[in-house]
Amino acid sequence: MRVSSLTMAVWATAVLGWSSVGAAAATAPKCADLGGDVDGSQMCQIQATEPGYSLKMSYPVSYPDVQPVFDYVKETREGFLNVAKMPDSRDLPYELDTTPTEYSSAVPPRGTQSLVFETYQGLGGAHPSTFYKSFNWDQGQRKPITIDTLFREGTAPFPIILPLVQAEIAKQTGQPAVIPPEVGLDPTKYENFAITNDSLIFFFSQGDLLPGAYGAMQVAIPRAPVDAMIT
């Protein structure tokens, strides 16, 4: 039986399509690869308890840009376990607890999804640490948002943001927050953030913006003063 060239072309296209889908499925990050299980709310739950350490982490497998999220969780997990499993660490109460919080915004010009990880890490010493990592996603353009792409090129949002951040920290701590301009105007200090309809929330790991004694901080400021600068 002869098969027309059109039929062959359609068949070849279908095979290529199925192959692409199969390749994508094969390379998709899997919760099980981190020793975790996906629960009913589509959260990957990862837990490990040994005599010398405990580990508890989770992340939403439905986040639109899940690969870098998976990579971050994997890197954090492996870094902790490499230290916790060292021979001289077995009798110390090491602990890692990574908790995700999701935020969203539907305000033009972009709908967004934000995912922020708060990690508490204790490595047997007297001073455990808390640090943050955020991921932000542009729903309309289907791409990540970073602090470098959040604001329109040529705008200067940080001279406006810094006094708002200082005022909010003073409110939280009950004392003036003195942040040197070379620190407070540095965009890299604000790279962990979340977007809501009416606020920008900045997450500062311990020692990032102020001395370590202040601890880790979450600082929400109103969007309105910088909204016109947001791309």
Side-chain angles (χ1 to χ4, degrees):
M1 179 180 68
R2 298 181 63 186
V3 181
S4 70
S5 58
L6 175 61
T7 301
M8 290 295 292
V10 171
W11 178 82
T13 301
V15 169
L16 287 173
W18 292 332
S19 299
S20 298
V21 170
T27 58
K30 296 179 181 178
C31 175
D33 292 341
L34 301 178
D37 296 296
V38 179
D39 65 16
S41 61
Q42 294 300 292
M43 296 291 291
C44 175
Q45 303 287 352
I46 307 160
Q47 297 188 47
T49 303
E50 297 292 340
Y53 68 86
S54 65
L55 176 150
K56 184 177 180 181
M57 310 180 78
S58 60
Y59 73 90
V61 297
S62 58
Y63 185 73
D65 193 21
V66 72
Q67 184 66 58
V69 170
F70 175 91
D71 292 343
Y72 172 74
V73 172
K74 180 180 179 181
E75 180 182 349
T76 303
R77 172 182 173 271
E78 291 180 351
F80 172 78
L81 290 177
N82 285 341
V83 175
K85 290 182 177 181
M86 292 174 64
D88 58 351
S89 305
R90 291 175 181 170
D91 298 325
L92 298 175
Y94 283 18
E95 181 180 358
L96 182 76
D97 191 343
T98 298
T99 306
T101 303
E102 297 182 80
Y103 304 83
S104 64
S105 168
V107 175
R110 63 173 82 189
T112 63
Q113 282 184 252
S114 299
L115 174 62
V116 181
F117 288 101
E118 179 177 2
T119 296
Y120 170 91
Q121 181 174 259
L123 297 178
H127 302 289
S129 63
T130 298
F131 53 91
Y132 297 102
K133 175 64 177 179
S134 75
F135 298 87
N136 290 275
W137 183 252
D138 186 319
Q139 293 280 51
Q141 298 187 31
R142 310 301 297 169
K143 65 180 183 180
I145 307 167
T146 67
I147 197 63
D148 294 326
T149 62
L150 176 62
F151 300 105
R152 287 189 293 108
E153 189 174 353
T155 60
F158 296 103
I160 298 172
I161 289 172
L162 175 56
L164 294 173
V165 166
Q166 289 186 124
E168 178 58 27
I169 292 176
K171 186 188 301 183
Q172 290 183 24
T173 63
Q175 56 184 333
V178 180
I179 303 171
E182 63 271 18
V183 175
L185 298 176
D186 180 356
T188 65
K189 299 297 182 182
Y190 300 89
E191 61 187 3
N192 292 311
F193 65 93
I195 308 165
T196 71
N197 285 344
D198 55 8
S199 300
L200 293 177
I201 309 171
F202 295 105
F203 299 83
F204 302 108
S205 300
Q206 206 161 346
D208 261 4
L209 195 68
L210 290 164
Y214 279 84
M217 309 193 77
Q218 302 181 25
V219 180
I221 66 168
R223 277 182 60 159
V226 294
D227 224 11
M229 302 182 190
I230 294 178
T231 56

